[in-house]
Amino acid sequence: MVHTSLDVVDEKISTMGKALVDQRELYLGLLYPTEDYKVYGYVTNSKVKFVMVVDSSNTALRDNEIRSMFRKLHNSYTDVMCNPFYNPGDRIQSRAFDSMVTSMMIQVC
Amino acid sequence: MRAGGARWSLPARGSRMADAVLFEFLHTEMVAELWTPDPDPGSGGPEMSPSVLESVGFRVGQALGERLPRDIPAFREELDVLKFLCKDLWVAVFQKQMDGLRTNHQGTYVLQDNSFPLLVPMASGLQYLEEAPKFLAFTCGLLCGALHTLGFQSLVTASVAALPAWDMIDMFQVGFTRGGLQRWARTCSPPWVLLGCRLLSR
């Protein structure tokens, strides 16, 4: 499902590029809703794509919250990138990153 | 950088003055320690194998390329990326903007810096011309790394005409020799430093 959502992300990026609207949002919004899950997307300037899959039964999540969650994800990812012991392209093994993600998920559930 | 794992952010202008000097000293020591001259002098020009300095610069460039555009709206085209390099990246690292940007709209870009901060402490003019490339290796790597994070494969080369200025050029031709670069350079008005940066692919 995450892989299909990546296709939607690419589609959104390409359509955004062609549109003349000055839409420079990094946040892509709700990609597409399915029966059980909602999928949200976010693309950074370095073309790193974050995809968030949320249970549809959790209706309390608002757009702003999703945005702030992506923001936190982006910030943590940037911190991981700046870590000199991390080689770009490797699997992320930073404990700080993991704990941030876990705390975010706990907050939501 | 604040200690204790706090969020890193660009400090206020006044407190950045010490950063510039510290970076200059660090860079000088890095060059003294890590510079290895090209073992095969006949290999012909700026297409040399990446030195340790360039690799260090590359990794730093990758990190900066991730952190600096974080709050900027999405880049729409190549020119946006180059403008980001000239303005935001240069200001973040050297506290000044690049002095000139030219392009042929085919992947070739000329970035000109008339008073490159890492070369300013050396004599102005032609006296230390041979030494100058050492001091550009890190910066070449920096640009290459930043471009790499932003999705471009590039080849960055450097050339100095007269200290302390330099230019960045994205060269489209393969195998552009140092001699050729300097010949081209002399046709432009001095003083400047040439840094060749070739955008290979996205």
Side-chain angles (χ1 to χ4, degrees), chain B residues 57-89:
Chain B
F58 190 86
R59 182 66 187 92
V60 174
Q62 282 184 311
L64 281 177
E66 190 63 54
R67 192 181 280 286
L68 289 176
R70 194 167 57 189
D71 298 315
I72 298 174
F75 294 133
R76 304 270 245 139
E77 48 180 26
E78 266 178 25
L79 201 56
D80 284 344
V81 175
L82 268 296
K83 282 187 198 163
F84 159 76
L85 287 185
C86 291
K87 293 186 189 166
D88 302 298
L89 185 76

Side-chain angles (χ1 to χ4, degrees), chain B residues 41 46 53 87-88 94 105 117 123 149 184 187:
Chain B
L53 274 173
K87 293 186 189 166
D88 302 298
F94 300 114
H105 299 287
T149 317
W184 186 93
T187 63

Side-chain angles (χ1 to χ4, degrees), chain B residues 2-166:
Chain B
R2 293 194 278 273
R7 173 97 330 108
W8 183 86
S9 61
L10 287 174
R13 195 182 168 80
S15 63
R16 272 210 287 215
M17 295 184 65
D19 293 352
V21 172
L22 289 173
F23 174 61
E24 208 178 291
F25 289 151
L26 177 64
H27 183 261
T28 313
E29 284 308 309
M30 270 165 49
V31 169
E33 199 57 41
L34 298 174
W35 171 257
T36 47
D38 195 358
D40 178 14
S43 61
E47 316 280 351
M48 47 188 133
S49 57
S51 63
V52 176
L53 274 173
E54 280 185 20
S55 322
V56 171
F58 190 86
R59 182 66 187 92
V60 174
Q62 282 184 311
L64 281 177
E66 190 63 54
R67 192 181 280 286
L68 289 176
R70 194 167 57 189
D71 298 315
I72 298 174
F75 294 133
R76 304 270 245 139
E77 48 180 26
E78 266 178 25
L79 201 56
D80 284 344
V81 175
L82 268 296
K83 282 187 198 163
F84 159 76
L85 287 185
C86 291
K87 293 186 189 166
D88 302 298
L89 185 76
W90 226 242
V91 165
V93 182
F94 300 114
Q95 290 80 44
K96 68 181 282 278
Q97 291 191 6
M98 193 76 84
D99 292 315
L101 168 66
R102 297 191 289 280
T103 177
N104 74 347
H105 299 287
Q106 286 169 6
T108 302
Y109 294 90
V110 184
L111 287 84
Q112 185 172 347
D113 190 328
N114 292 328
S115 55
F116 187 51
L118 295 179
L119 293 180
V120 161
M122 294 155 66
S124 60
L126 300 172
Q127 185 177 0
Y128 290 110
L129 212 55
E130 302 85 40
E131 310 293 327
K134 296 187 209 176
F135 288 84
L136 299 171
F138 176 83
T139 315
C140 290
L142 186 81
L143 288 158
C144 216
L147 282 168
H148 183 265
T149 317
L150 296 169
F152 294 98
Q153 296 296 317
S154 63
L155 185 67
V156 183
T157 51
S159 178
V160 184
L163 275 63
W166 62 254

Side-chain angles (χ1 to χ4, degrees), chain A residues 2 14 25 50 56 68 71 74 79 87 105:
Chain A
V2 173
S14 56
E25 283 281 322
F50 294 115
S56 276
S68 67
R71 201 92 201 116
H74 192 180
D79 289 339
N87 291 318
M105 293 199 297

Side-chain angles (χ1 to χ4, degrees), chain A residues 19-67:
Chain A
L20 293 173
V21 175
D22 191 26
Q23 232 285 57
R24 286 167 168 237
E25 283 281 322
L26 298 177
Y27 172 64
L28 297 173
L30 183 63
L31 294 178
Y32 66 92
T34 64
E35 287 178 359
D36 302 319
Y37 301 104
K38 294 187 208 154
V39 184
Y40 296 93
Y42 181 94
V43 166
T44 70
N45 269 323
S46 51
K47 306 296 165 258
V48 174
K49 301 168 185 72
F50 294 115
V51 177
M52 211 183 300
V53 180
V54 175
D55 199 3
S56 276
S57 57
N58 189 346
T59 50
L61 273 181
R62 289 192 309 272
D63 206 45
N64 283 339
E65 290 173 7
I66 305 276
R67 276 179 202 262

